[in-house]
Amino acid sequence: MNFALTQKQEDVKKLVANFVQDEVAAGVAQRDEDENFEPTYKLLRRLGDLGLLGLPYPKEYGGAGGDYVSYALAGFELNKVDASLGVSYSVHISLGTWPIFEYGNEEQKQKYAVPLIKGEKIGAFALTEPNAGSDSGASECTAVLDGDHYILNGTKIFCTNASYADTYVVFAMTDKSKGVKGISAFIVEKDYEGFQFVKEEKKCGIRASIQCEILMENVRVPKENLLGKEGLGFKIAMTTLDGGRIGIAAQGAGIAEGAYEYSRDYTKERIQFGKPIAKQQHIGFKLAEMATDVEIAKLMVLRAAEDKDAHRPYTVSAAQAKLIATDTAMKTTVDAVQLMGGHGFLRDHPVERMMRDAKITQIYEGTNEIQKLVISGAVLR
Ligand code: CAA
């Protein structure tokens, strides 16, 4: 077992940390205040310029030839400062690009995955529906073959990057009688007729990211945009989410680390009762717990990422990393606000935003209760 990063991984970490310092940090509070994705989208495109939107993909497909450990490191650095950019990034790489790269035929990969990997196009993933949230197999969207096209109808919700993304992986029932084995996955281009963005969600956190409701009314999707084969959609969704959960776990660990470091530095400066509050044993012990929790979270994320890199099964390690890291994000950000007292509650400091951002990490890409379902399924097998 080797806990040391390679030079290449160290380089990615430094590249992202410098980018965050130079281009992301200054405007993060304002972007959250404005609840506007446009500037986040520009930063996402900048990540493309730096080759980071194709970080874990091979060079022959336009990627950086990196690995998922590097992807996790990039996630830590981005999310320490800006979780809105962090989720847009993770969704692009893990949910929007990976299923096409993994399940697409060569033509689909060249046409759709390569521009996503090169950062020329942005990706999204449309699985969740009003009546199919945690129970993602209960899809009511339909896809009916009509000559050379599938006709898609139905509603998708909570779709991150939607309305800005160019390419969507969309799930719909091709044969309802077969249950989850009747779900299929399609590549849908933003401009297909009938593919409409009908509502932009107002949220508690990650307010500078975008999530939209999509209404599909007789969307004609060319037959050649079916991913894999009919009935493979649920497997595509589940395996895609296994990787996505590594990204969200990295997000949780990154948010936790950002809140821990900020509140630690504050307590070293804040004088009460004649000395920095960090010198109070209660606060020193709290910081010790936070530092340890952040370290555990990061190690769990890196372990899951390494499982994926080594082509070992990673469904369970990704679920465990997501569970631990996102619960750590919530607990650490609440503690960070508490350590800073009234000041922590003000928008003058980032920890209140981090606390709001942390909440969704326990919910999306499978609630943490769903992660426990996945883990318990494995331990009870
Ligand atoms: N890998 C491969 N196959 C898998 C799998 C996995 N991880 N998980 C399940 N499967 C297969 C099973 O093996 C089974 O196949 P067989 O019948 O051939 O054995 C089939 O899929 C059905 O499995 P289950 O019976 O376990 O399925 P289920 O209907 O009980 O659902 C679930 C399982 C884990 C609860 C799943 O529905 C789930 O993960 N729900 C959460 C959905 C989710 O994460 N949504 C997030 C949306 S994306 C998002 O949040 C985007 C964003 O903007 C950030």
Side-chain angles (χ1 to χ4, degrees):
M1 190 179 295
N2 184 2
F3 285 94
L5 299 178
T6 64
Q7 189 55 49
K8 211 170 153 193
Q9 291 162 344
E10 291 281 8
D11 290 346
V12 169
K13 187 171 178 248
K14 202 160 155 207
L15 174 71
V16 181
N18 287 340
F19 169 72
V20 168
Q21 187 66 35
D22 296 344
E23 300 187 39
V24 178
V28 62
Q30 194 60 50
R31 290 193 294 277
D32 174 69
E33 197 70 33
D34 294 345
E35 300 191 47
N36 177 8
F37 183 59
E38 184 69 31
T40 307
Y41 174 71
K42 289 190 176 137
L43 289 170
L44 191 62
R45 299 310 298 252
R46 283 284 299 131
L47 287 168
D49 298 340
L50 297 172
L52 291 165
L53 291 186
L55 181 56
Y57 295 102
K59 288 190 171 155
E60 58 268 36
Y61 286 92
D67 53 20
Y68 279 86
V69 166
S70 303
Y71 168 60
L73 296 169
F76 296 156
E77 295 306 318
L78 288 175
N79 287 289
K80 264 168 85 167
V81 173
D82 188 344
S84 288
L85 180 59
V87 69
S88 308
Y89 176 71
S90 177
V91 164
H92 171 86
I93 290 192
S94 288
L95 304 191
T97 305
W98 189 82
I100 304 176
F101 180 75
E102 184 67 17
Y103 291 98
N105 56 37
E106 196 51 36
E107 206 181 322
Q108 290 170 333
K109 285 194 205 183
Q110 291 300 334
K111 183 170 178 191
Y112 292 110
V114 167
L116 292 168
I117 290 170
K118 286 184 172 169
E120 296 163 357
K121 297 257 165 90
I122 297 298
F125 176 87
L127 173 70
T128 304
E129 300 176 15
N131 294 317
S134 289
D135 186 5
S136 48
S139 175
E140 291 171 351
C141 287
T142 54
V144 176
L145 189 59
D146 176 30
D148 289 341
H149 289 78
Y150 284 93
I151 314 296
L152 268 60
N153 279 289
T155 298
K156 294 288 176 183
I157 57 171
F158 303 162
C159 182
T160 295
N161 292 343
S163 80
Y164 280 78
D166 306 279
T167 307
Y168 297 74
V169 177
V170 178
F171 298 84
M173 280 282 182
T174 38
D175 186 347
K176 196 152 182 65
S177 70
K178 292 187 178 156
V180 298
K181 297 231 163 29
I183 297 176
S184 302
F186 301 90
I187 305 167
V188 176
E189 294 181 25
K190 177 186 180 178
D191 296 332
Y192 285 174
E193 211 179 320
F195 196 70
Q196 304 155 64
F197 308 104
V198 290
K199 183 178 164 218
E200 185 180 327
E201 302 300 344
K202 291 274 175 210
K203 308 172 300 277
C204 156
I206 54 161
R207 297 194 309 189
S209 68
I210 194 165
Q211 285 75 24
C212 288
E213 179 175 326
I214 299 171
L215 174 65
M216 299 186 289
E217 280 184 323
N218 296 321
V219 181
R220 292 180 71 79
V221 177
K223 212 164 92 175
E224 58 267 22
N225 283 22
L226 174 71
L227 261 185
K229 55 181 185 186
E230 273 194 23
L232 200 67
F234 194 72
K235 186 172 176 222
I236 294 176
M238 291 299 107
T239 51
T240 300
L241 285 167
D242 286 342
R245 286 166 187 165
I246 298 174
I248 300 307
Q251 176 171 52
I255 294 172
E257 188 167 36
Y260 155 68
E261 287 181 354
Y262 192 91
S263 60
R264 176 199 61 197
D265 294 349
Y266 179 90
T267 61
K268 289 202 280 192
E269 300 291 326
R270 171 77 173 160
I271 309 288
Q272 288 290 278
F273 303 106
K275 60 183 179 184
I277 60 172
K279 297 274 186 207
Q280 304 285 359
Q281 195 180 51
H282 166 74
I283 290 184
F285 279 14
K286 179 54 76 185
L287 288 166
E289 283 172 20
M290 291 160 88
T292 307
D293 287 346
V294 167
E295 212 52 42
I296 293 168
K298 288 170 76 175
L299 285 171
M300 291 293 284
V301 178
L302 294 173
R303 183 189 70 147
E306 206 184 68
D307 280 346
K308 184 158 167 57
D309 285 331
H311 306 288
R312 290 190 293 264
Y314 57 93
T315 300
V316 175
S317 56
Q320 288 174 328
K322 202 267 186 188
L323 175 64
I324 287 280
T326 63
D327 280 354
T328 297
M330 198 67 248
K331 182 168 177 291
T332 306
T333 53
V334 169
D335 285 344
V337 170
Q338 188 69 21
L339 284 186
M340 292 176 60
H343 294 281
F345 195 64
L346 300 183
R347 293 191 203 173
D348 299 351
H349 296 280
V351 291
E352 65 80 30
R353 171 173 46 81
M354 292 167 167
M355 183 173 71
R356 288 186 283 103
D357 290 346
K359 188 60 217 166
I360 189 61
T361 67
Q362 295 178 301
I363 297 171
Y364 57 24
E365 299 206 24
T367 62
N368 283 2
E369 291 72 23
I370 290 293
Q371 308 312 317
K372 289 179 194 173
L373 201 66
V374 171
I375 299 161
S376 65
V379 300
L380 296 174
R381 197 173 290 140

